[in-house]
Amino acid sequence: MVVEPLIVGLLLAAALMHATWNAILKSDQSDRLATFGVIMTTGTVMGVCVVPFVPMIEPGAWKFLIASVLIHVLYYTFLLKAYSYGDLSHTYPIARGLGPLLVALVSGRFIGEELRTQDIVGVFLLSFGLVALAMPLRNVVPRPGARHGLATLFAVLTGVTIAAYIIADGMGVRTAGPTFEHRISYIAWLCVLEGPWLLVLAFILRPDTVWGHLKRTWYRGVIGGVIANVGYGIAIYALVLGPMAHVAALRETSVLFGALIGTLLLGEPFGGRRVAAAAVIVGGLVLMNGPSVF
């Protein structure tokens, strides 16, 4: 099953949105936890505005919704740790790239979605390209405080949680109900339940500094929150329309956008090897989402 061109276009837009809000979060040098909290709280407000106008999701979808919320809590924890120890152009490709690889590996056994031969080849190309993209560049002085090993570890853990919530949300939105409105309801309830917990945590940990940070930079989190929640809403809805591994892989073209944003806007190095790795990644993604050739 090949994803329709319109969905491909929407997922590419979602990928750019994801890379953009991650860059907004990574570039915050004063209080990243508080900014992340505003991003998530913005999603809560958006969800609350939608919930009254859509039907309730089917009872069978709630277990997936709750599982997704719990997995997302781990995801946020690992993501913040990864960004605190490493560059965006290093940690982001690992975290985002592992997701579709793991989904592809388990989709046949646990979800019943079988891969074509070219999908398997695409997965290997994607894996090879991500390893090359994530390896540290030679003759590059790490930024002060960077710890490559810990950054890699937390990026890998982030990738594992990404695969887990993709599967949970894929199963959840497919069981949410038969109509478009039911699927929108699932997305809205996910935004509501994820809630302002990170912002609450920031206030608990740093009550004296969070208010000042928010007064100066609240708009960054709000902009990031709108981008993040619209982008993930597109991705969740696409999980109804195509195989999870394909949808996940297309969305993770964000690794390329993330590496480019890290290089062009945040001053992080890229290098010729990463250019070649990016081309291999694109080849793998195209192969996975193209018509059958084998």
Side-chain angles (χ1 to χ4, degrees), residues 88-176:
L88 178 72
S89 55
H90 166 66
T91 56
Y92 191 83
I94 300 174
R96 303 312 309 180
L98 276 180
L101 296 179
L102 295 175
V103 171
L105 290 174
V106 305
S107 60
R109 181 181 299 271
F110 297 107
I111 310 173
E113 296 179 348
E114 299 297 332
L115 296 178
R116 304 168 297 175
T117 301
Q118 72 187 66
D119 295 329
I120 297 173
V121 175
V123 166
F124 277 104
L125 285 176
L126 185 65
S127 178
F128 178 80
L130 287 168
V131 170
L133 189 66
M135 289 176 63
L137 298 174
R138 295 180 179 180
N139 302 322
V140 173
V141 179
R143 64 175 173 80
R147 300 179 66 178
H148 186 80
L150 282 175
T152 301
L153 171 62
F154 282 112
V156 169
L157 292 173
T158 302
V160 172
T161 56
I162 288 169
Y165 75 60
I166 286 173
I167 293 173
D169 284 332
M171 299 298 291
V173 75
R174 291 178 182 186
T175 57

Side-chain angles (χ1 to χ4, degrees), residues 187-205:
I187 297 168
W189 275 109
L190 179 63
C191 292
V192 170
L193 292 181
E194 282 187 334
W197 311 120
L198 288 177
L199 189 58
V200 171
L201 179 61
F203 275 110
I204 292 174
L205 295 177

Side-chain angles (χ1 to χ4, degrees), residues 1-269:
M1 180 178 178
V2 178
V3 180
E4 294 294 327
L6 175 61
I7 303 304
V8 172
L10 289 173
L11 283 169
L12 290 175
L16 178 58
M17 291 178 191
H18 194 281
T20 300
W21 80 258
N22 272 259
I24 291 173
L25 179 62
K26 181 65 175 66
S27 63
D28 187 338
Q29 301 297 323
S30 57
D31 195 331
R32 197 171 287 132
L33 177 60
T35 297
F36 206 167
V38 175
I39 289 173
M40 299 313 304
T41 303
T42 301
T44 300
V45 174
M46 294 169 66
V48 168
C49 292
V50 172
V51 163
F53 303 100
V54 291
M56 184 61 67
I57 62 176
E58 297 291 336
W62 281 103
K63 59 186 177 185
F64 298 111
L65 185 61
I66 299 302
S68 176
V69 171
L70 296 176
I71 294 167
H72 270 88
V73 171
L74 292 177
Y75 161 68
Y76 302 141
T77 302
F78 296 146
L79 182 67
L80 286 169
K81 285 290 186 181
Y83 286 171
S84 68
Y85 289 122
D87 286 339
L88 178 72
S89 55
H90 166 66
T91 56
Y92 191 83
I94 300 174
R96 303 312 309 180
L98 276 180
L101 296 179
L102 295 175
V103 171
L105 290 174
V106 305
S107 60
R109 181 181 299 271
F110 297 107
I111 310 173
E113 296 179 348
E114 299 297 332
L115 296 178
R116 304 168 297 175
T117 301
Q118 72 187 66
D119 295 329
I120 297 173
V121 175
V123 166
F124 277 104
L125 285 176
L126 185 65
S127 178
F128 178 80
L130 287 168
V131 170
L133 189 66
M135 289 176 63
L137 298 174
R138 295 180 179 180
N139 302 322
V140 173
V141 179
R143 64 175 173 80
R147 300 179 66 178
H148 186 80
L150 282 175
T152 301
L153 171 62
F154 282 112
V156 169
L157 292 173
T158 302
V160 172
T161 56
I162 288 169
Y165 75 60
I166 286 173
I167 293 173
D169 284 332
M171 299 298 291
V173 75
R174 291 178 182 186
T175 57
T179 67
F180 172 80
E181 288 76 13
H182 282 96
R183 294 156 188 172
I184 295 299
S185 180
Y186 180 91
I187 297 168
W189 275 109
L190 179 63
C191 292
V192 170
L193 292 181
E194 282 187 334
W197 311 120
L198 288 177
L199 189 58
V200 171
L201 179 61
F203 275 110
I204 292 174
L205 295 177
R206 294 184 287 276
D208 297 330
T209 61
V210 170
W211 274 119
H213 172 79
L214 294 180
K215 288 178 181 178
R216 294 189 305 272
T217 64
W218 62 269
Y219 62 92
R220 293 168 59 91
V222 172
I223 294 172
V226 172
I227 295 171
N229 287 279
V230 170
Y232 192 53
I234 293 172
I236 293 178
Y237 187 76
L239 289 169
V240 180
L241 306 176
M244 290 188 194
H246 287 208
V247 172
L250 267 173
R251 185 182 179 236
E252 304 318 339
T253 53
S254 57
V255 301
L256 302 179
F257 294 124
L260 289 172
I261 290 172
T263 299
L264 298 176
L265 300 182
L266 303 184
E268 300 172 357

